[in-house]
Amino acid sequence: MTDINVISTAYQVERRSWYLGTPDNPGFIQSVTLDVSAFNAAHYPNGYIPSGTILAILASGGKAVPYLDAGTGGAGVAKGILFSAVKIPNLADLTKDVGAAMLVAFAPVSESKLPFTSSTVSGGFIDANGKGELPLIYWAA
């Protein structure tokens, strides 16, 4: 029997106002796997981790997590910026990781338009140390 029940699907409208580059030259992007369990609910209030989240790479496992300057195991070293919003695959099971694109070089970024600041969420924001660890990103006000 065919299921004709009505379902709804939520979508995230991409908000990439933090990115000051052009669409035809997005800079250097690499693929990463996000360790979804490392993000907290403040990172994805609507089920999506927003683009512009600052990422670090764990030394063990090589998965991307929110950058936090005081983090350990690699979480304290900024490695890039989440380029596109990513849907959490299953909010009831945060052990399911997800692939993503991370901007790592040759891009202008508006710091003031990034989605997180140190006062809004634990990790995923840029600070002076993080800027030093991403020297190939041009940081605009």
Side-chain angles (χ1 to χ4, degrees):
M1 180 184 280
T2 303
D3 182 2
I4 60 170
N5 289 321
V6 176
I7 61 169
S8 67
T9 303
Y11 292 94
Q12 169 76 20
V13 175
E14 187 62 68
R15 186 184 136 308
R16 206 177 280 144
S17 61
W18 57 269
Y19 179 67
L20 302 175
T22 59
D24 59 334
N25 187 14
F28 185 75
I29 296 174
Q30 74 181 52
S31 61
V32 294
T33 300
L34 297 181
D35 180 353
V36 173
S37 66
F39 293 83
N40 62 46
H43 288 113
Y44 50 87
N46 63 351
Y48 288 81
I49 300 170
S51 67
T53 302
I54 308 300
L55 300 173
I57 304 293
L58 292 178
S60 64
K63 293 181 183 175
V65 298
Y67 163 72
L68 186 58
D69 187 40
T72 60
V77 179
K79 292 292 187 178
I81 305 167
L82 186 63
F83 191 65
S84 296
V86 174
K87 184 175 184 347
I88 301 295
N90 184 349
L91 290 170
D93 181 7
L94 298 178
T95 63
K96 304 222 182 285
D97 297 332
V98 64
M102 182 173 71
L103 180 65
V104 295
F106 311 121
V109 172
S110 173
E111 178 184 354
S112 65
K113 293 186 178 181
L114 291 171
F116 301 119
T117 65
S118 61
S119 62
T120 59
V121 68
S122 176
F125 56 88
I126 196 67
D127 59 11
N129 290 338
K131 287 182 194 176
E133 293 157 357
L134 295 169
L136 297 178
I137 299 291
Y138 171 73
W139 297 99

